[in-house]
Amino acid sequence: MKKYLKFFTIMLAVLAFMMFSLSVNAEVVKWDLPTVWSATNYQSKCLKIFADEVKEATDGQVEIILHYGGALGYKGPEMLSVVRDGLVPIGDILKNAQTGEEKFFGITSLPFLAPGVVELRMLQFFTRPVEDRIAEKHNQKILYVVPWPSRNVYTKKEISTLEDLKGLKIRTVSKEDTDLFTLLGASPIQMPWGEVVTSLATGVIDGVATSSASGVDGKFWEFTGYASRWNWHSSCDMVNVNLDAWNKLSPELQKIIETKARELEPQFWKLAVEENKEKEKILIEKGIKVYDPNPELKKIFAKLSSQIWQDHMNEVPESIKVIEDYLALME
């Protein structure tokens, strides 16, 4: 009996040593993740939660290093190609800023197609399979998405009529944004976030179309006095991983990260809505008048929207069934 006990003890010791050796020798994977947003933006807060949770869940085997505020030099519209080409293994990507690479990503920017978070979530049921295929074509995988739940127009004067918009140089993100403001008589300028505050301060642009969160990040109260809640759409950021980097991970680590992303995504959507309300309060406290567009403008918006939807579907046939299925669900 003592002989077997001694043998069992030795085997346990050998097993413990082997496990210890494996843990010591296990390679730590370090991924640099760039984002154009500041560390205080809720999108960045979501990134931090995700990075911390992944590190803990993988026992430190996967470490995601965050780089805020465009610190690595990459601009928002470049991020799909930056991740595709492996310049970084993982990245935070504003979806509707990638229409130069993939026009389908402009679908969430179609005016008043999905103007709120609930509508955006419903639309995502139909867009996500297509977006997953697009991501794979660009050598990457979508881990999770987080919405921008508001879309304000920040200006130096209140917008009450179409005449107030005439010639106004408004920063936009996507082609669909640009099309809308062009039809309204403004002079839209597509511009990545990193150039916005300087352009606003120097008069290159007169106003900005963006979220409440970004309005606070940019301290727009220093340059504008009004924010109109147009809320013509709700866009998303997606966190994508390069497939070459992804495939270097063991299946066990892949499963852990996928599971963590799936568990956290609903929490991030909730955080987005909460942050939007909080940021709007800050804008008001700082002296910006936040208001809803008048009914006459809303009628004009609705009339022009259908034209932009049709133009998009003509240009991107893949979006036709997606939009039709979504609209049938929302009836």
Side-chain angles (χ1 to χ4, degrees):
M1 184 67 180
K2 289 183 178 179
K3 181 180 179 181
Y4 287 114
L5 183 60
K6 183 177 180 181
F7 175 77
F8 183 67
T9 303
I10 292 172
M11 289 301 295
L12 280 177
V14 170
L15 182 60
F17 177 76
M18 290 175 63
M19 292 179 67
F20 174 76
S21 298
L22 285 172
S23 65
V24 169
N25 295 325
E27 182 182 357
V28 175
V29 176
K30 293 189 177 183
W31 285 347
D32 289 307
L33 192 162
T35 178
V36 299
W37 315 119
S38 70
T40 58
N41 188 284
Y42 77 89
Q43 292 281 359
S44 296
K45 292 178 182 177
C46 293
L47 293 172
K48 180 67 165 58
I49 293 169
F50 178 64
D52 289 346
E53 293 270 347
V54 165
K55 185 175 182 179
E56 181 179 353
T58 61
D59 294 324
Q61 292 182 69
V62 179
E63 183 178 349
I64 299 173
I65 303 164
L66 302 177
H67 301 271
Y68 304 109
L72 295 186
Y74 302 122
K75 297 180 179 180
E78 302 171 333
M79 284 308 302
L80 191 72
S81 59
V82 166
V83 175
R84 179 194 65 209
D85 297 339
L87 299 178
V88 293
I90 187 170
D92 174 42
I93 303 173
L94 178 59
K95 192 185 298 182
N96 63 349
Q98 312 310 310
T99 52
E101 290 277 349
E102 287 290 346
K103 291 183 173 62
F104 183 85
F105 284 136
I107 195 169
T108 57
S109 292
L110 294 177
F112 303 101
L113 178 65
V117 172
V118 173
E119 292 88 347
L120 184 64
R121 195 64 168 174
M122 294 297 104
L123 179 60
Q124 190 184 28
F125 289 140
F126 302 103
T127 61
R128 184 61 184 266
V130 179
E131 290 162 353
D132 284 336
R133 291 196 295 271
I134 291 173
E136 186 174 3
K137 184 178 78 173
H138 287 266
N139 193 37
Q140 52 201 282
K141 174 184 178 65
I142 302 172
L143 293 176
Y144 68 84
V145 297
V146 182
W148 294 92
S150 67
R151 205 70 183 161
N152 301 331
V153 179
Y154 295 86
T155 53
K156 296 176 183 179
K157 62 179 183 179
E158 189 168 347
I159 304 298
S160 300
T161 66
L162 281 184
E163 188 63 29
D164 294 329
L165 282 166
K166 190 173 182 180
L168 212 60
K169 294 176 290 184
I170 299 287
R171 175 264 183 170
T172 57
V173 175
S174 67
K175 176 185 179 298
E176 290 71 24
D177 286 353
T178 301
D179 289 346
L180 174 63
F181 280 92
T182 299
L183 288 172
L184 292 171
S187 299
I189 302 173
Q190 280 186 239
M191 182 182 294
W193 174 253
E195 300 174 14
V196 169
V197 176
T198 301
S199 297
L200 194 57
T202 57
V204 172
I205 53 177
D206 303 313
V208 182
T210 192
S211 66
S212 296
S214 294
V216 172
D217 284 348
K219 298 181 179 179
F220 284 177
W221 50 84
E222 295 181 358
F223 317 105
T224 67
Y226 299 89
S228 185
R229 295 191 198 94
W230 285 25
N231 285 338
W232 65 98
H233 70 77
S234 298
S235 58
C236 281
D237 272 24
M238 53 186 176
V239 173
N240 292 10
V241 60
N242 174 276
L243 284 178
D244 297 327
W246 179 252
N247 291 330
K248 289 178 182 178
L249 298 180
S250 67
E252 292 77 18
L253 287 176
Q254 290 179 349
K255 184 176 181 180
I256 289 171
I257 294 171
E258 282 185 299
T259 300
K260 189 56 63 177
R262 186 170 59 252
E263 290 173 351
L264 288 172
E265 185 170 310
Q267 297 178 36
F268 292 161
W269 281 62
K270 181 173 179 287
L271 177 63
V273 174
E274 293 171 346
E275 281 282 312
N276 176 61
K277 293 177 182 177
E278 183 61 33
K279 297 304 184 185
E280 187 171 289
K281 288 180 183 177
I282 293 174
L283 291 173
I284 294 170
E285 290 169 359
K286 292 293 184 178
I288 286 187
K289 179 181 177 180
V290 181
Y291 65 102
D292 295 315
N294 64 52
E296 288 304 313
L297 273 179
K298 285 186 176 181
K299 288 179 182 178
I300 296 172
F301 295 162
K303 182 179 179 180
L304 294 176
S305 295
S306 58
Q307 178 181 335
I308 297 174
W309 293 8
Q310 191 58 55
D311 290 344
H312 177 85
M313 288 188 285
N314 290 341
E315 193 171 9
V316 190
E318 201 169 16
S319 68
I320 296 173
K321 188 174 188 315
V322 170
I323 292 173
E324 289 176 348
D325 288 347
Y326 162 74
L327 292 175
L329 177 69
M330 299 302 289
E331 284 181 353

